[in-house]
Amino acid sequence: MFEHPQIQVYAFEGIPVDQDLCLMDEKWMVEFEAALIKSLDDEGDSAYSVGYYSAAIARALDCDHIELSWYPNRIDRFHQIRVTLPRSAFITCIASWQYDYDPVIFVRGDWLCSLHLRSHSIFALVDAINVKKALASGVLTRSKLIELRDRIDEIAAKNPSVAFMSFADSILLKSNYFVGQYDSGTKYTYEPERILWLLPEIRSAYAGVLGLDIYAVITQGGNEYYDDALMHLSRSGNHFSFNSLGLPFAQTQAIEHSARSN
């Protein structure tokens, strides 16, 4: 396939980096090729009228995967999600620079479907400022800490789509969202900034009860527990799981360390 002299075919190792491209289900390959050849021979309309596209940019290549910035919505949003395309899901990549056709990466349909239908997560670490000073001055009394906990309970109750895990001086937050797909029943809940909306209320709770300000570090990414609930509580009540890898929270700590260093 794709043997026309004005069609460039890229090997897995040769995918253009830091350049606009798109992902496409392999089921559209035959129809796309036919439309593309007609377009190149000035016998038809643009091949972009065929199938459905997911905008992306390749950021880094490895022997067994490609790191991508994926843009679920570029119509009224411009937000990227870092995803990994394994070699096993790669079919081929073509382009035609003479006719302004950006690279199109054809991928396995099940991988692309999973990318659209799985949940993606936002993670945050909210931390109080000057806690050591407050401890030394006796501000953090038991009654105030219980009052703060009750305030966080109230905020959590109003935001059931966000998981809260709190300590006296910090909170871990997690929220899932779905991108959906044109032919699926998955509801579009693409609100990656949802946690940002909570910060003023959380800040008000810390300031009002403890007299402390806060800061937050926020990350995002795919969730390996993508078919599971937002969180898990064991029957015994003493095991709480965020249904997430610990990597995103390690990243928040790395970001915090870098910010402090600078």
Side-chain angles (χ1 to χ4, degrees):
M1 296 185 68
F2 301 111
E3 296 180 353
H4 191 282
Q6 291 178 318
I7 297 177
Q8 293 81 51
V9 179
Y10 299 94
F12 186 84
E13 299 81 1
I15 300 296
V17 177
D18 295 328
Q19 176 182 334
D20 286 340
L21 52 83
C22 55
L23 308 173
M24 195 174 194
D25 192 322
E26 63 179 318
K27 70 181 181 181
W28 299 104
M29 283 178 62
V30 173
E31 188 176 346
F32 183 89
E33 181 192 32
L36 179 58
I37 291 175
K38 286 184 178 180
S39 174
L40 299 180
D41 293 339
D42 296 324
E43 296 177 358
D45 297 329
S46 169
Y48 285 132
S49 61
V50 174
Y52 297 88
Y53 304 84
S54 290
I57 293 177
R59 297 300 186 185
L61 307 178
D62 204 333
C63 60
D64 59 357
H65 70 275
I66 303 173
E67 292 184 14
L68 299 172
S69 289
W70 177 47
Y71 299 90
N73 181 352
R74 296 212 305 196
I75 298 174
D76 56 6
R77 306 293 300 273
F78 200 83
H79 185 84
Q80 65 174 298
I81 301 174
R82 283 297 182 102
V83 300
T84 300
L85 171 64
R87 182 185 285 268
S88 59
F90 174 84
I91 305 300
T92 191
C93 177
I94 63 97
S96 179
W97 59 265
Q98 298 98 323
Y99 282 77
D100 292 329
Y101 279 100
D102 291 332
V104 178
I105 299 180
F106 289 96
V107 297
R108 279 200 344 248
D110 59 340
W111 179 85
L112 188 59
C113 183
S114 174
L115 183 63
H116 279 265
L117 300 186
R118 67 186 297 177
S119 67
H120 299 272
S121 299
I122 299 293
F123 307 89
L125 166 64
V126 179
D127 211 352
I129 300 172
N130 289 329
V131 173
K132 290 183 179 180
K133 183 177 180 180
L135 278 170
S137 61
V139 171
L140 302 186
T141 63
R142 179 179 183 275
S143 61
K144 285 191 174 183
L145 294 178
I146 291 176
E147 183 183 352
L148 175 65
R149 186 181 65 190
D150 291 342
R151 290 280 298 274
I152 300 302
D153 278 346
E154 294 172 3
I155 297 172
K158 293 186 295 184
N159 296 275
S161 62
V162 179
F164 291 70
M165 180 185 291
S166 72
F167 303 90
D169 57 345
S170 61
I171 308 175
L172 299 179
L173 302 171
K174 174 194 170 191
S175 179
N176 291 342
Y177 64 88
F178 292 87
V179 173
Q181 197 173 37
Y182 68 94
D183 58 351
S184 76
T186 299
K187 186 179 178 180
Y188 179 86
T189 58
Y190 184 52
E191 295 177 333
E193 63 280 277
R194 184 177 301 166
I195 284 178
L196 288 174
W197 301 339
L198 297 178
L199 296 183
E201 195 168 359
I202 294 174
R203 183 183 188 186
S204 177
Y206 272 88
V209 177
L210 302 182
L212 300 178
D213 207 347
I214 64 167
Y215 66 90
V217 182
I218 303 174
T219 61
Q220 67 168 357
N223 188 3
E224 297 307 317
Y225 289 80
Y226 52 82
D227 286 330
D228 292 344
L230 186 63
M231 55 189 176
H232 162 84
L233 182 64
S234 67
R235 291 184 179 180
S236 60
N238 63 337
H239 173 214
F240 177 85
S241 170
F242 253 23
N243 283 348
S244 170
L245 295 175
L247 178 62
F249 296 107
Q251 290 173 335
T252 63
Q253 292 175 332
I255 293 169
E256 178 191 28
H257 176 74
S258 178
R260 287 179 178 272
S261 298
N262 290 314

